[in-house]
Amino acid sequence: MASTAPTPQDLTKRPDPLTLEVVELIGEVVARFHEDYESAAADHALTGAQARLLSLLCLEPLPMRRLARQLKCEPSNVTGIVDRLEARGLVERRPDPADRRVKVAAATAEGRKVARSLRESLRFAGEPLAGLSEGERVALRDTLRRMLG
């Protein structure tokens, strides 16, 4: 049986109890993740914002404006965060290869090491997921990917 797209009338209906429970459980998962992330960041003498910025820079060097958009904060806040991480030797500023007038922030080798250690120290990732079989983790991953679409 083919599924049909929801009509505008369907979209104004109240969610069913199962959907509401799933939403509440997702909220609890997110809250626990953030709590664990903040704790792991503190264990590495980082704020949550510093840890998130460092993690982003481990993926690729980024200009300040793009970092600000991704972190949903003002560019001046990003400058301060980068300054503190740079003082610790975790990030560096360098010219953007595409436009040498623009500076990008990039994780240093030490910054990548700290970010990896932080990720590996997250209890949240190990404890709750360790109780799931590999098949259940694969199903959960695939479901989350579909939800994020």
Side-chain angles (χ1 to χ4, degrees):
M1 175 185 268
S3 66
T4 59
T7 66
Q9 183 180 10
D10 292 336
L11 296 176
T12 61
K13 291 181 183 176
R14 296 181 66 92
D16 62 273
L18 176 60
T19 299
L20 290 174
E21 182 181 6
V22 169
V23 168
E24 288 193 21
L25 289 168
I26 290 171
E28 180 65 24
V29 166
V30 168
R32 286 187 188 182
F33 173 79
H34 281 295
E35 183 180 304
D36 188 33
Y37 195 84
E38 293 288 330
S39 176
D43 290 346
H44 289 79
L46 297 170
T47 65
Q50 289 171 336
R52 285 187 295 279
L53 187 142
L54 185 57
S55 292
L56 285 172
L57 293 180
C58 285
L59 299 173
E60 64 178 321
L62 294 168
M64 301 294 186
R65 288 194 186 283
R66 188 151 159 223
L67 278 167
R69 277 195 309 271
Q70 290 191 260
L71 293 172
K72 296 175 178 47
C73 68
E74 293 296 318
S76 59
N77 290 346
V78 169
T79 299
I81 295 169
V82 169
D83 287 345
R84 288 184 286 284
L85 292 173
E86 188 173 38
R88 288 185 54 189
L90 302 178
V91 302
E92 63 186 5
R93 288 177 171 93
R94 56 173 88 136
D96 184 341
D99 183 349
R100 302 203 45 89
R101 296 168 298 172
V102 175
K103 294 280 188 193
V104 296
T108 62
E110 181 64 19
R112 287 188 297 277
K113 180 179 164 187
V114 168
R116 183 175 43 257
S117 175
L118 189 148
R119 274 191 315 275
E120 291 169 354
S121 71
L122 289 172
R123 291 178 306 277
F124 183 85
E127 292 170 5
L129 294 175
L132 300 177
S133 70
E134 183 177 354
E136 288 171 322
R137 289 192 311 273
V138 167
L140 177 59
R141 179 203 60 201
D142 293 347
T143 300
L144 291 171
R145 283 180 175 169
R146 277 187 39 217
M147 286 178 66
L148 295 172

